Amino acid sequence: MKHNRSSPAYRVAFMGMLFALALLLSWLENMLPPAPFLPVGVKLGLSNIITMYALFFLGKPQAFAIAALKSMFVLLTSSLTTAAVSLSGGMLSLCVMLLLTLPKRWKPSYLILSIFGAVFHNIGQLAMVTLLLGTFSVAYYLPVLLVSGVGMGILTGLLLRVLLPALERIKPGR
């Protein structure tokens, strides 16, 4: 039986598969031992590959839905505080990547967008931690987060490029 890839049911199923893939990447990342070269608290952000894919190839609503669902999952499996930090990073990251795509004369590469997304993901998380703690004392960690954001943004941007052919083969509307 041939599937209609442009049907609403296929689109919903595809979003569910992307969400499951984001959770799988997050789980795999959590299974990795801490890398000795990474600063404390810095993660690879593998599940953000899926959020970027949704933003670049499916649309804004789908990307925001994936980011929100990831944060809801964090709420279910961790705590309200961790979910708030996750949501603030994810939403700021998406907003910055969207803003960078607005100028019609400038078409940034996925790698540039990934770097900015990762850096602002860290800034959003740090802002939420600052708000929750009620102190700016955590801002001392900002330089570490900026540098690691650039590195992790490069990594996730390159991994997105590697995964694109597989994701494009199953994308709705083909």
Side-chain angles (χ1 to χ4, degrees):
M1 179 173 162
K2 188 165 175 97
H3 301 285
N4 179 1
R5 290 187 179 200
S6 58
S7 74
Y10 190 91
R11 291 181 182 283
V12 169
F14 186 69
M15 285 295 293
M17 190 231 23
L18 287 179
F19 176 54
L21 186 55
L23 295 181
L24 175 65
L25 288 171
S26 181
W27 177 78
L28 286 172
E29 182 177 335
N30 288 331
M31 292 291 103
L32 296 173
F37 57 87
L38 289 180
V40 174
V42 172
K43 294 175 64 177
L44 299 173
L46 297 178
S47 69
N48 294 327
I49 295 167
I50 303 304
T51 308
M52 288 187 306
Y53 173 80
L55 177 63
F56 302 150
F57 297 100
L58 300 178
K60 293 175 248 180
Q62 292 82 355
F64 281 101
I66 293 288
L69 286 169
K70 285 174 26 182
S71 296
M72 291 299 292
F73 187 76
V74 170
L75 176 63
L76 293 172
T77 59
S78 187
S79 68
L80 180 59
T81 300
T82 308
V85 170
S86 171
L87 186 64
S88 63
M91 292 300 147
L92 182 60
S93 172
L94 279 171
C95 289
V96 167
M97 287 189 286
L98 276 171
L99 286 173
L100 288 172
T101 61
L102 288 180
K104 298 297 179 203
R105 292 187 202 143
W106 184 57
K107 181 81 171 149
S109 70
Y110 298 134
L111 188 60
I112 296 295
L113 291 170
S114 178
I115 291 168
F116 273 90
V119 166
F120 279 90
H121 192 279
N122 289 347
I123 290 171
Q125 289 185 325
L126 188 64
M128 180 56 74
V129 169
T130 300
L131 181 69
L132 291 171
L133 293 177
T135 178
F136 287 103
S137 64
V138 293
Y140 76 91
Y141 211 56
L142 183 60
V144 171
L145 294 177
L146 294 177
V147 171
S148 64
V150 170
M152 297 307 110
I154 290 170
L155 177 69
T156 55
L158 292 174
L159 288 173
L160 173 61
R161 181 164 285 210
V162 169
L163 290 174
L164 271 178
L167 290 170
E168 284 299 299
R169 280 196 300 272
I170 58 173
K171 181 176 142 184
R174 284 189 71 220

